[in-house]
Amino acid sequence: FFILEQCVLASSHLIQKSNGKFDLDTPEGQKACKKYLKLVERLQEGFKSHTASRAYRHDFSKAYRILYKEGSLCYLTEILDSAQEAIPHLWVNGEKYDFSLDILDAGKKLFLEFCRLQQMLKGAYSRAIQDNASDSASLIRFDVVRALEEFDLSWVNFEQLYVMELMYIEADARRYITEAIEIERDLQCLEAREKAKGRIQIDNEDYHSRRSKLVKQMSVINGVANADGKGREDLNIDILHAAEGIIRRISPDQSRAVRNLAIQIREKFNVFRELLRKYDQNIEIVDPQLKNNPDLVEVLMKYESTWEKGKNYFLDGKRCGQVIHISQFLEGLCEKHGLFAEQVECRDASIFITIPCLLLLKHLENDDRGICGFFLPELLEPDQRCSRLLEELRVSYNGCRHAFNSNFEYHNFLEKMIIGVQLNPHEKELYTGEMVATVENILNRMKVLSIELQRNKPMEFNDFLDIVLGS
């Protein structure tokens, strides 16, 4: 009777909304409902009512089993909330999963039994405090036990159907990862087998096929899970092959920046493989809504960023040659001028004017490999403002050339003026009179064109700078 009284009191604290459903969203609503369901469990024990078997819970995944205490009825508010909400479907990874009619009907029945139990317990308590006859107490007990058993049976029917359906949905939603894990396992076995035989993987067609399959699956996962990025699915094995080719062919002396990008592309693939091996140990740590896995999203963001650059620059022979050429030029400048090396290392704001000016200097010497024309086509189009500025710049540039003993000496002088490096005594002697005005004119026109160079294709230009600076 005491537990019955507590149940009735607890039910009065349940927060029922205008739509008839109970508040299970706020902490207050959750707390009140948990207390009530705990008391219903105690009432089941006190009245020794027959409760349905919970053996089906042994078939639950570990993620669900940990929610339940062995040997306990465990009426969870999450189950009740799902029953009362009766949501007909879930969206996971952009795919729609419909719940069966059996589950929806079982949920409606559970919610009705939950409401009916409250009313029945209130009625039984009201009768108990009014009637003291022994036959009346037996009848009250019979009614309470029947209501408890019907509620418990409805609970078990819904819980079993609902959780098993959730497990199916989660397994299907994780298929992107489980399929990748299977490919990774096969790839590991092949690598171990070939290594034991002393064979070189680069010559193994089976190895290339399985790696290609894994890269394709990684791209698919990126499309599903990388909500914070672009979710590109077109980053294929050719990018990895190109990167590995660069690692073999390009030495650090030729281009540290390009080689570093190639190494990063390979590393991002290997990091993804490591993550798959971690998931293989316990697939249930993977949230079925793949975008909700921070470790996966972080890996994919970095993968997409580096591989996208590889796609844009490594798969096009001309563009690859451009970044190698310019990165080598800039790395040489860093070795030659400590000030410029410091500016680059600190990503000083000045380099975003200096480097485009240096590219224009290379263009004036016909040594930019077409980079300026790519980022600013107007430079090469007659009668356009930028092409006129370029011609004026070329006239000024050629006008000073005669003052120097060689093109090399002239180039070094202009490099120093662009970067802001102190001139040597000989250069100071030359930098007088009319030359001051002419060089100022050259630098001013370069700065104007450098802004246009960056402005025309800003995203692509920033990616280009990232690559040549080894960012």
Side-chain angles (χ1 to χ4, degrees):
F1 176 80
F2 177 67
I3 301 173
L4 176 62
E5 184 179 48
Q6 284 188 305
C7 260
V8 172
L9 182 61
S11 70
S12 67
H13 290 112
L14 295 175
I15 305 170
Q16 195 164 17
K17 298 183 283 190
S18 58
N19 61 3
K21 297 176 182 178
F22 293 90
D23 175 20
L24 290 170
D25 298 323
T26 66
E28 295 79 13
Q30 275 274 350
K31 184 178 179 181
C33 193
K34 281 182 180 178
K35 182 177 180 180
Y36 177 71
L37 290 174
K38 277 290 183 186
L39 287 168
V40 171
E41 288 183 37
R42 289 179 61 193
L43 204 59
Q44 296 273 21
E45 295 169 5
F47 277 80
K48 295 182 171 55
S49 58
H50 175 74
T51 54
S53 170
R54 263 67 173 174
Y56 61 85
R57 288 178 179 169
H58 295 298
D59 296 327
F60 286 178
S61 63
K62 185 178 179 181
Y64 285 103
R65 287 200 307 272
I66 60 174
L67 300 175
Y68 297 93
K69 183 180 177 181
E70 187 70 31
S72 174
L73 297 177
C74 283
Y75 297 131
L76 302 179
T77 55
E78 293 85 353
I79 298 296
L80 178 62
D81 193 30
S82 298
Q84 74 167 358
E85 291 301 330
I87 296 173
H89 57 258
L90 291 177
W91 286 94
V92 188
N93 299 327
E95 295 178 302
K96 184 180 180 182
Y97 293 89
D98 292 307
F99 286 112
S100 67
L101 289 176
D102 288 344
I103 290 175
L104 297 176
D105 289 342
K108 290 174 185 175
K109 189 173 189 309
L110 170 57
F111 183 62
L112 287 174
E113 290 296 338
F114 178 72
C115 296
R116 189 176 294 135
L117 179 64
Q118 292 176 65
Q119 296 304 318
M120 196 277 149
L121 293 181
K122 287 177 183 177
Y125 176 69
S126 179
R127 288 158 56 197
I129 60 176
Q130 291 175 11
D131 302 322
N132 297 313
S134 58
D135 59 335
S136 177
S138 299
L139 185 59
I140 291 170
R141 178 183 178 82
F142 175 80
D143 290 342
V144 169
V145 168
R146 184 175 61 181
L148 287 169
E149 288 178 351
E150 289 176 353
F151 169 72
D152 184 72
L153 184 60
S154 297
W155 186 283
V156 164
N157 286 341
F158 175 70
E159 180 183 80
Q160 182 175 7
L161 287 171
Y162 180 66
V163 174
M164 294 302 286
E165 184 78 359
L166 282 182
M167 286 168 55
Y168 164 76
I169 292 171
E170 290 171 0
D172 190 67
R174 289 191 186 106
R175 72 185 184 277
Y176 301 101
I177 300 297
T178 53
E179 288 170 7
I181 288 171
E182 287 297 323
I183 301 168
E184 170 59 21
R185 285 176 187 162
D186 290 344
L187 190 54
Q188 283 185 71
C189 290
L190 178 61
E191 287 172 337
R193 190 165 61 246
E194 294 300 300
K195 185 177 180 181
K197 294 177 181 178
R199 293 178 182 171
I200 301 174
Q201 304 288 358
I202 197 171
D203 298 327
N204 190 312
E205 288 186 13
D206 195 18
Y207 174 70
H208 287 309
S209 174
R210 295 187 195 190
R211 277 213 313 173
S212 180
K213 195 175 177 182
L214 183 56
V215 167
K216 185 176 180 180
Q217 189 66 15
M218 179 167 65
S219 187
V220 171
I221 292 170
N222 188 59
V224 172
N226 193 358
D228 294 335
K230 298 176 183 177
R232 294 187 64 159
E233 296 185 41
D234 60 341
L235 304 174
N236 60 36
I237 191 68
D238 293 341
I239 300 166
L240 183 58
H241 287 162
E244 290 175 335
I246 285 172
I247 293 170
R248 290 192 298 271
R249 294 193 316 272
I250 305 297
S251 69
D253 291 336
Q254 290 173 289
S255 174
R256 287 190 301 274
V258 171
R259 185 179 167 85
N260 284 344
L261 175 60
I263 290 171
Q264 286 175 35
I265 287 171
R266 185 178 62 182
E267 284 180 349
K268 298 304 175 283
F269 177 62
N270 290 334
V271 168
F272 177 73
R273 292 185 63 186
E274 288 173 10
L275 185 62
L276 291 179
R277 291 194 283 272
K278 171 188 167 184
Y279 287 161
D280 193 18
Q281 294 173 9
N282 180 12
I283 190 61
E284 290 182 21
I285 66 174
V286 179
D287 190 312
Q289 192 76 273
L290 297 185
K291 67 180 182 180
N292 293 338
N293 295 279
D295 53 353
L296 175 62
V297 173
E298 182 182 1
V299 167
L300 292 175
M301 286 284 287
K302 292 177 179 178
Y303 143 77
E304 184 179 76
S305 175
T306 54
W307 281 55
E308 187 175 43
K309 291 173 185 174
K311 179 179 176 66
N312 292 337
Y313 285 94
F314 288 176
L315 299 188
D316 184 321
K318 180 179 178 181
R319 299 191 75 184
C320 187
Q322 288 174 339
V323 292
I324 291 173
H325 179 63
I326 296 303
S327 62
Q328 188 179 39
F329 165 61
L330 294 176
E331 287 164 13
L333 280 180
C334 287
E335 292 176 6
K336 189 161 46 170
H337 303 299
L339 174 64
F340 184 65
E342 186 179 332
Q343 291 171 346
V344 168
E345 184 178 353
C346 300
R347 293 299 186 266
D348 189 273
S350 63
I351 65 172
F352 298 104
I353 293 293
T354 299
I355 292 176
C357 286
L358 290 167
L359 291 177
L360 287 164
L361 178 59
K362 298 291 278 184
H363 179 77
L364 290 171
E365 297 168 346
N366 298 315
D367 192 29
D368 70 330
R369 301 287 180 93
I371 290 172
C372 292
F374 172 79
F375 287 114
L376 188 58
E378 193 181 327
L379 279 176
L380 310 179
E381 297 172 4
D383 300 324
Q384 295 294 319
R385 173 177 169 271
C386 288
S387 66
R388 289 195 298 270
L389 273 173
L390 179 63
E391 284 308 308
E392 292 169 3
L393 172 59
R394 197 184 301 278
V395 169
S396 299
Y397 171 79
N398 289 330
C400 282
R401 189 191 296 273
H402 68 276
F404 294 83
N405 295 325
S406 66
N407 289 339
F408 178 75
E409 187 180 278
Y410 184 38
H411 175 89
N412 281 344
F413 168 76
L414 287 178
E415 274 183 358
K416 290 181 178 180
M417 294 300 297
I418 291 169
I419 296 169
V421 175
Q422 188 174 359
L423 301 176
N424 63 38
H426 174 64
E427 291 165 339
K428 287 179 181 179
E429 287 179 12
L430 294 174
Y431 188 52
T432 56
E434 292 182 3
M435 182 175 284
V436 173
T438 305
V439 170
E440 287 298 318
N441 186 280
I442 291 172
L443 296 178
N444 288 336
R445 284 190 168 87
M446 277 187 171
K447 287 175 182 176
V448 171
L449 286 173
S450 74
I451 293 170
E452 296 298 327
L453 196 61
Q454 299 173 74
R455 184 183 292 167
N456 193 50
K457 298 178 181 178
M459 296 294 291
E460 289 180 292
F461 192 81
N462 286 339
D463 280 345
F464 172 78
L465 282 186
D466 281 346
I467 294 171
V468 297
L469 294 177
S471 299

